[in-house]
Amino acid sequence: MSAAEPRPAAPARSATATAIGWTLTIGLNVVAPVLTFGALSDRGWSDFAALLASGVWPVLDTVVHLVWHRKMDEFAVVTLFFLALTAVVSLAGTHSARALLVKDSAVTGLFGVLCLATLLAPKPLMFYFGRRFSTDGTAESHAWWNGLWQFEGFRTVMRRMTIVWGVAYLVEAAARVGLSYTLSVEAMLVANPVLIYGTLGLLVLWTIRTAKRGRAEGAARAEAAGRAAEAGA
């Protein structure tokens, strides 16, 4: 199949499976950690202990995914690696809320480095992240996503996304490290999630728009190639 041919349509997705997947991902990675930190802080836990305990929920999200799909994909490997790295970094050195905030920033910076490093691999990191969130986990949807790699436009978009995510997280990490040393811990506890989820939200919105534009450009190229072929026939 040539790059000028239209890309195959995505297979029908299970609406129930997709809804459950997104609910678990958002609930366990965003809502539960915030609620847990607030509840534990109100009970007299130290900021450090509350922050550390809040990190259990993302681990549970990964475990649920592994049990549900009964396989370890690249996304799960990366997630487990960074969860383990976060735990090691958090427990090492000085145990204070400010130190934990700085260490957490360093981990997101490492994620930015990983994004850029995977540009040297056969497929960049955003290819695997895209497959996690653009499919419902079935073999059919995975095969469809993997098949898109043959298209030059798709490969270009995946690499561009990986560059943008990598640079964005390096900037975000640098900003959080700087603010961790200039703001009070109380102020940083407010600024930290704003920076984390604000950066993530902007990147997700940009990614969605970029993906839509890429699909539109691919369709336009395929249509133009079809008209050219008809004119030459």
Side-chain angles (χ1 to χ4, degrees):
M1 181 180 294
S2 68
E5 291 184 68
R7 299 177 186 176
R13 299 175 64 179
S14 168
T16 301
T18 301
I20 293 175
W22 274 104
T23 300
L24 286 173
T25 297
I26 295 174
L28 296 177
N29 288 277
V30 180
V31 178
V34 172
L35 294 178
T36 299
F37 177 82
L40 294 179
S41 296
D42 292 342
R43 291 175 178 271
W45 285 46
S46 68
D47 291 339
F48 175 82
L51 283 170
L52 200 60
S54 300
V56 171
W57 295 109
V59 177
L60 179 59
D61 175 55
T62 301
V63 172
V64 169
H65 177 78
L66 293 177
V67 172
W68 189 356
H69 297 291
R70 298 181 181 179
K71 64 180 178 180
M72 176 81 77
D73 61 8
E74 294 82 359
F75 181 91
V77 171
V78 172
T79 300
L80 287 174
F81 171 77
F82 274 97
L83 288 173
L85 179 62
T86 301
V88 171
V89 170
S90 299
L91 294 173
T94 304
H95 290 180
S96 68
R98 189 181 300 277
L100 183 58
L101 290 170
V102 173
K103 294 172 184 177
D104 186 49
S105 303
V107 171
T108 61
L110 287 175
F111 175 76
V113 172
L114 177 63
C115 283
L116 299 179
T118 59
L119 293 170
L120 302 176
K123 294 182 178 68
L125 188 59
M126 284 303 109
F127 171 85
Y128 301 106
F129 275 46
R131 188 174 66 186
R132 170 69 182 273
F133 293 104
S134 297
T135 70
D136 58 8
T138 62
E140 183 183 11
S141 63
H142 274 203
W144 163 74
W145 182 263
N146 293 340
L148 294 178
W149 187 253
Q150 66 185 299
F151 299 101
E152 181 181 355
F154 179 80
R155 296 194 298 269
T156 298
V157 169
M158 288 297 103
R159 293 189 177 105
R160 183 187 306 148
M161 287 181 178
T162 302
I163 292 173
V164 171
W165 278 69
V167 172
Y169 270 105
L170 287 176
V171 172
E172 182 264 0
R176 283 205 290 143
V177 168
L179 290 174
S180 295
Y181 285 108
T182 56
L183 298 180
S184 65
V185 172
E186 292 74 15
M188 195 57 198
L189 287 176
V190 176
N192 205 44
V194 171
L195 286 169
I196 292 174
Y197 298 118
T199 300
L200 177 61
L202 290 174
L203 284 171
V204 169
L205 289 175
W206 175 84
T207 299
I208 292 173
R209 294 189 60 173
T210 299
K212 289 182 178 178
R213 186 166 60 249
R215 286 195 294 269
E217 291 174 352
R221 285 195 299 269
E223 184 179 355
R227 287 197 302 267
E230 291 177 359

